[in-house]
Amino acid sequence: MEIFDIFLLEAIVNGVLLGGILALLALGLNLIFGVIDVVWICYAELIMIGMYAVFYLHVEYAWPLWAAFPVCVAVVSALGMVLHHFVIRPVLTAEPINQLLVTGGVLFLLQGVATLAFGVEFRNVGVRLPTFEVGGMFLSLARLTAFLIALASMIGVYLFLKRTYLGTAIRAISQDRTIMPLMGVNPSRIFLITSALGGALAGVAACLLVLQYDIHPAIGLSFGPIAFLVCVLGGLGNMIGGFLAAFIFAQFISVGGYFFHLEWGYVLAFLFFIAFMFWRPQGLLGGKS
Amino acid sequence: MTRALPWIGIALLAVAPLAGIGNYPLHLMIMCLLWAFVYTGWALMGRLGMTSLGHGAFLAIGAYGVVMAWNLYSVSPWLSLPLLLAATALVAFLIGYPCFRLRIVGHYFALVTLALGEVARMIIIALRDQTGGSLGATPNTALADTSWSIAALQFSSKVTWFYIILGFWLFGLWMWTKVDRSMARLALEAISQEEDACASVGINVTRLKLGVTIVSAMMTCLGGVLYAQYQLYVNPETVSGIGVSLQMVFGAIAGGMFVRLGPTIGAVFTLLLAEMLRLALGHDVHGLDVTLYGLMLVLFIIFMPKGILGAALAAWNTRRAKSATAAAA
């Protein structure tokens, strides 16, 4: 029996492509946690709303996708700002766990609103990118595109944080919240901008996921938990750690799913996560405590 | 008089089914008491700063364990129950011990336990040949030609179930009181405030946390068994995963997790809300109940973090204190 068979390789490559998307999800969450110190449990639900935005613009109003995508990013970004202003800001000084739970309330709220507005039927944008063959492996163009755009967005965010004045202010606030106001940085403004940026990343993820998956109000639950675990695995708030963790997690899901069933891939990934937590509770690359 | 109040309340509850209330109100009461028992179990550790988002896993062990043992191996619930409780205690230990030793607290604890709840859901779906996967499972009926079966723990009469679950609910409140009056509670409250300081004065942090976690997990497992036996249907979405885990957390928070009857009030409140909306709007409007539920949770956590009962008691106490000072002056 050949140890290096082509289907295993295909699973690995697919895992890498999946890793790109997971890394994008983790980046948005990590950015928000790193700066504002809040985990948005409802992050995947923001993505769900973004996916519906694309669906409605493209299918109902016949907008071309290239026009629908920027609107989707803008909508989710605005949603992030609304979430921060009305939900997170009032509990900024409350117990940390209440901050986590209040976004859990938003999770139900968004799911309910989506069910009310869009119904429980599965929706589909009707765009299916073809698969192509590389050296005997069949890869999906949608996944490859998603991987590349996710990578580009991450580089974009990295450059923004490192090269711009605003990015520097965001990084400074994330390091010391009490000192920076004395240096003339307005934390509430930075928080709002960070929320908008985190929302925009969710919007980008929505545009990429809508090409691969059907939309329904509970879709957030199918990738939301994974996104949190990726963040924790990498070290909450640590963006590089989240990036690495996304690829590790994706390999577990993809290769585990290749050897067993897809669900067993998830089970393996989650069990690995729990075991890893006991070995390095602070995550792959340290992270904030 | 105030001492007699709880007994009067229990007596009223106990005679309620005999007063000839219909099947539907009886069913609602049973569900309220059942979830109240589970929420109380969750709040036992939740109020001490250990926010578990994975209690769905324990519920799933109870609910699926008892159904699978009966369907696949014809093992009576009486036999599987102790095994399931032991399994739950083991899982709680395996997850709790490292967490508490390594000081995984707050966000991290919530997210590690969240992974546990999802593992349970994924395993149930992955074993679809045995569990029926997302379609759920129904225990083989033992009620084909009889109305009750002690061996299978199946009863067709709702009144029987009412008394069984009333008993467990009272047991849950009794457990709460036991924990509340113990030294351990004081130590655990101190731990939730300042863990290092507690360890420095000789409190065995890991052991205390582990103890209350195992009790809480076992109560949840028991709730799962009762749920499966009463409903005679289990589904991975309703007994495992993030959805039901969050439901427990929010039920306890809405009612008030720092007072004994808080989780019960939370269960009654959330259940009646959902039922009332369903009755008012019918089955056609999907999602309004979830929308309002979510909205209220957000408002509760922002404006009333102590919950309904907690806030009511606090208001009552300030009023009493005010009238007392007025009387003194």
Side-chain angles (χ1 to χ4, degrees):
Chain A
M1 186 187 145
E2 201 182 350
I3 188 95
F4 200 77
D5 78 281
I6 194 76
F7 295 110
L8 178 59
L9 190 65
E10 188 180 301
I12 292 173
V13 174
N14 269 324
V16 171
L17 297 185
L18 175 66
I21 289 270
L22 288 184
L24 184 66
L25 298 181
L27 177 67
L29 274 170
N30 269 331
L31 183 70
I32 291 154
F33 181 81
V35 177
I36 312 176
D37 236 358
V38 172
V39 178
W40 284 5
I41 288 281
C42 58
Y43 196 71
E45 274 61 34
L46 296 181
I47 296 173
M48 179 262 295
I49 299 287
M51 289 167 80
Y52 272 113
V54 174
F55 169 79
Y56 269 86
L57 291 175
H58 182 67
V59 177
E60 300 282 310
Y61 297 104
W63 287 34
L65 280 179
W66 58 262
F69 283 168
V71 175
C72 160
V73 174
V75 164
V76 183
S77 173
L79 206 58
M81 281 158 76
V82 168
L83 174 67
H84 179 78
H85 189 78
F86 290 104
V87 178
I88 304 295
R89 215 175 39 113
V91 293
L92 266 181
T93 49
E95 280 183 56
I97 208 68
N98 281 4
Q99 300 168 352
L100 183 90
L101 294 175
V102 80
T103 62
V106 177
L107 181 156
F108 286 115
L109 180 63
L110 289 179
Q111 258 187 26
V113 168
T115 315
L116 267 180
F118 312 122
V120 286
E121 296 85 12
F122 282 58
R123 312 281 184 154
N124 194 310
V125 281
V127 178
R128 280 287 172 263
L129 297 181
T131 52
F132 61 97
E133 195 191 328
V134 182
M137 294 184 292
F138 288 92
L139 302 173
S140 133
L141 188 61
R143 285 190 165 187
L144 185 68
T145 318
F147 175 77
L148 293 176
I149 292 180
L151 219 54
S153 325
M154 283 181 273
I155 294 169
V157 170
Y158 181 81
L159 290 178
F160 169 72
L161 289 177
K162 286 278 179 190
R163 295 288 166 82
T164 64
Y165 182 77
L166 204 55
T168 313
I170 289 177
R171 281 188 297 129
I173 281 278
S174 79
Q175 280 168 12
D176 199 325
R177 241 199 240 192
T178 41
I179 292 294
M180 283 323 288
L182 302 176
M183 313 271 180
V185 177
N186 179 354
S188 18
R189 195 170 141 258
I190 293 292
F191 285 175
L192 207 58
I193 292 170
T194 309
S195 302
L197 189 58
L201 287 170
V204 174
C207 298
L208 302 177
L209 287 167
V210 85
L211 296 175
Q212 298 179 40
Y213 298 98
D214 287 342
I215 316 160
H216 57 101
I219 184 137
L221 291 183
S222 57
F223 48 82
I226 300 171
F228 311 131
L229 301 188
V230 166
C231 289
V232 178
L233 190 67
L236 262 180
N238 188 317
M239 296 179 207
I240 312 278
F243 185 78
L244 291 176
F247 287 96
I248 296 174
F249 226 81
Q251 284 307 331
F252 267 97
I253 294 172
S254 189
V255 177
Y258 162 74
F259 279 114
F260 310 101
H261 262 292
L262 184 62
E263 289 88 7
W264 286 113
Y266 284 103
V267 171
L268 277 178
F270 288 165
L271 289 177
F272 166 76
F273 164 80
I274 293 174
F276 188 86
M277 274 292 100
F278 298 152
W279 177 48
R280 269 185 79 85
Q282 72 274 43
L284 266 177
L285 296 183
K288 292 170 49 152
S289 61
Chain B
M1 177 61 199
T2 32
R3 283 185 68 83
L5 262 175
W7 296 108
I8 297 172
I10 293 168
L12 279 178
L13 262 181
V15 297
L18 305 177
I21 60 172
N23 255 341
Y24 174 67
L26 193 59
H27 169 72
L28 279 187
M29 284 174 77
I30 293 172
M31 289 316 275
C32 283
L33 288 174
L34 177 57
W35 283 118
F37 172 66
V38 173
Y39 294 175
T40 305
W42 182 89
L44 215 53
M45 66 186 287
R47 67 171 177 149
L48 296 166
M50 290 177 275
T51 312
S52 156
L53 297 185
H55 264 47
F58 305 128
L59 199 70
I61 294 177
Y64 264 92
V66 76
V67 174
M68 289 305 118
W70 176 248
N71 281 1
L72 299 178
Y73 308 105
S74 310
V75 174
S76 158
W78 295 101
L79 205 65
S80 57
L81 182 64
L83 295 175
L84 291 170
L85 286 175
T88 302
L90 183 70
V91 172
F93 176 82
L94 286 178
I95 197 96
Y97 183 77
C99 271
F100 302 143
R101 264 319 274 273
L102 296 167
R103 306 258 183 84
I104 296 178
V105 293
H107 286 113
Y108 280 81
F109 183 72
L111 292 169
V112 169
T113 49
L114 184 139
L116 182 71
E118 284 295 304
V119 167
R121 190 173 71 93
M122 285 295 171
I123 289 179
I124 292 170
I125 296 177
L127 292 174
R128 59 172 66 79
D129 292 340
Q130 286 80 36
T131 61
S134 312
L135 296 175
T138 306
N140 295 339
T141 183
L143 303 176
D145 41 71
T146 164
S147 68
W148 52 275
S149 157
I150 297 271
L153 201 68
Q154 291 182 11
F155 310 99
S156 60
S157 152
K158 282 198 171 17
V159 178
T160 316
W161 273 113
F162 177 81
Y163 286 112
I164 293 173
I165 289 176
L166 180 70
F168 275 101
W169 173 67
L170 289 172
F171 164 73
L173 296 184
W174 178 77
M175 278 307 289
W176 175 286
T177 316
K178 281 296 270 189
V179 172
D180 206 41
R181 292 198 179 146
S182 66
M183 272 297 284
R185 199 261 307 181
L186 295 174
L188 280 161
E189 257 173 20
I191 289 169
S192 73
Q193 301 289 327
E194 195 65 69
E195 195 161 322
D196 295 323
C198 288
S200 77
V201 293
I203 294 175
N204 189 336
V205 173
T206 307
R207 200 156 114 200
L208 280 171
K209 278 185 160 182
L210 208 51
V212 75
T213 302
I214 289 176
V215 170
S216 162
M218 283 166 83
M219 279 174 70
T220 311
C221 166
L222 211 52
V225 171
L226 292 172
Y227 179 90
Q229 293 299 121
Y230 172 63
Q231 292 281 51
L232 293 177
Y233 173 69
V234 288
N235 181 296
E237 305 302 326
T238 49
V239 299
S240 70
I242 185 174
V244 73
S245 305
L246 282 175
Q247 182 195 327
M248 285 182 221
V249 180
F250 288 131
I253 288 180
M257 63 173 165
F258 300 102
V259 278
R260 180 170 45 178
L261 281 176
T264 304
I265 299 285
V268 173
F269 176 75
T270 47
L271 216 69
L272 287 189
L273 177 80
E275 286 299 309
M276 261 158 42
L277 285 172
R278 209 165 54 81
L279 285 180
L281 302 166
H283 289 280
D284 302 329
V285 185
H286 290 288
L288 190 61
D289 53 342
V290 186
T291 309
L292 284 177
Y293 181 61
L295 186 65
M296 277 190 320
L297 291 173
V298 172
L299 294 176
F300 267 117
I301 296 171
I302 295 176
F303 297 110
M304 214 196 266
K306 280 183 191 162
I308 301 172
L309 192 62
L313 285 177
W316 170 251
N317 282 338
T318 35
R319 241 187 65 190
R320 266 222 317 224
K322 258 190 200 152
S323 60
T325 39

